[in-house]
Amino acid sequence: QKEVEQDPGPLSVPEGAIVSLNCTYSNSAFQYFMWYRQYSRKGPELLMYTYSSGNKEDGRFTAQVDKSSKYISLFIRDSQPSDSATYLCAIRNTGTASKLTFGTGTRLQVTL
Amino acid sequence: GAGVSQSPSNKVTEKGKDVELRCDPISGHTALYWYRQSLGQGLEFLIYFQGNSAPDKSGLPSDRFSAERTGGSVSTLTIQRTQQEDSAVYLCASSLNEGGGYTFGSGTRLTVV
């Protein structure tokens, strides 16, 4: 079993839709949770960073963490064609180094 | 510089040749990471530097892979005797300190033919 599981998609939604992206993880030592967005032929770009259970909102993006279920989500409201990209969850524990463990990424396509 | 710079952006090499990939992190970022991204595999951790030392090199897939960092800045990832399975995008990231959010470069796309 992978430490972080993420549905690869692709996920296709119409413009304006609410998008829900999810990851599950297996190691309860993971304490820090991030979402990255990656456009084609570019490096991943940090979108959201949280370390506690609950919700964190930034504009159209909301990150949700449920540590009891080992489940994290990213919601995108009023999705735009410019949101079309691959979204990667990334998780790390509080131990040494700061190696991030990534999900495989979900490819999102927002259509006009 | 303003961001993490990687060179070359693309590299095609023949099987058995050695390659060097370069990463120039954001100035002042003490932590530097190398990841490999293959199609459908997500990002695979290779090595982490804090300053010039590498406290975690557990992700290097074989002894053909090595990396160094000099002056707490530029890092080079070297792959010796390249194999076709080494074909991937090699991503470098840096962060201000251990535990911070990473800033990634655009990667080096390596193709071994």
Side-chain angles (χ1 to χ4, degrees):
Chain A
Q1 181 190 8
K2 289 184 179 178
E3 285 190 292
V4 182
E5 298 276 2
Q6 185 175 9
D7 187 335
L11 180 63
S12 183
V13 301
E15 183 179 9
I18 296 174
V19 176
S20 172
L21 303 165
N22 310 292
C23 287
T24 58
Y25 62 96
S26 57
N27 187 347
S28 57
F30 286 139
Q31 297 291 327
Y32 297 87
F33 309 93
M34 296 163 221
W35 285 94
Y36 283 81
R37 176 175 63 195
Q38 186 175 25
Y39 291 113
S40 180
R41 295 192 172 260
K42 296 290 186 184
E45 167 197 11
L46 180 65
L47 274 180
M48 301 285 283
Y49 184 170
T50 185
Y51 56 87
S52 57
S53 282
N55 294 351
K56 180 177 181 180
E57 192 172 315
D58 184 0
R60 295 185 296 111
F61 298 91
T62 299
Q64 189 175 80
V65 176
D66 182 348
K67 290 185 180 179
S68 62
S69 301
K70 300 191 186 68
Y71 191 86
I72 65 171
S73 301
L74 178 71
F75 298 97
I76 307 174
R77 287 184 299 282
D78 187 25
S79 55
Q80 303 294 310
S82 58
D83 294 328
S84 298
T86 296
Y87 290 80
L88 301 124
C89 61
I91 306 177
R92 74 171 185 90
N93 63 25
T94 55
T96 58
S98 57
K99 176 176 73 176
L100 290 179
T101 301
F102 284 85
T104 52
T106 300
R107 192 154 57 91
L108 172 67
Q109 181 74 36
V110 180
T111 57
L112 290 169
Chain B
V4 177
S5 178
Q6 290 190 247
S7 61
S9 54
N10 283 284
K11 176 73 177 177
V12 180
T13 190
E14 292 181 352
K15 179 180 170 182
K17 301 279 191 185
D18 298 352
V19 294
E20 279 191 359
L21 312 179
R22 177 188 167 105
C23 173
D24 215 327
I26 292 173
S27 178
H29 279 196
T30 60
L32 184 147
Y33 313 83
W34 283 98
Y35 280 78
R36 177 167 72 174
Q37 186 173 32
S38 305
L39 197 61
Q41 298 298 313
L43 274 77
E44 175 190 6
F45 169 79
L46 297 178
I47 188 169
Y48 155 62
F49 286 93
Q50 182 62 244
N52 291 336
S53 63
D56 188 349
K57 54 179 81 169
S58 62
L60 294 177
S62 74
D63 58 8
R64 296 186 296 105
F65 288 72
S66 62
E68 65 174 12
R69 188 179 185 194
T70 54
S73 181
V74 172
S75 176
T76 303
L77 177 69
T78 302
I79 309 173
Q80 295 178 308
R81 305 181 302 282
T82 51
Q83 304 294 313
Q84 286 186 327
E85 62 263 27
D86 300 334
S87 296
V89 177
Y90 289 81
L91 289 159
C92 175
S94 69
S95 66
L96 187 58
N97 46 45
E98 180 177 324
Y102 295 2
T103 301
F104 279 90
S106 292
T108 294
R109 184 173 298 272
L110 175 67
T111 304
V112 182
V113 297

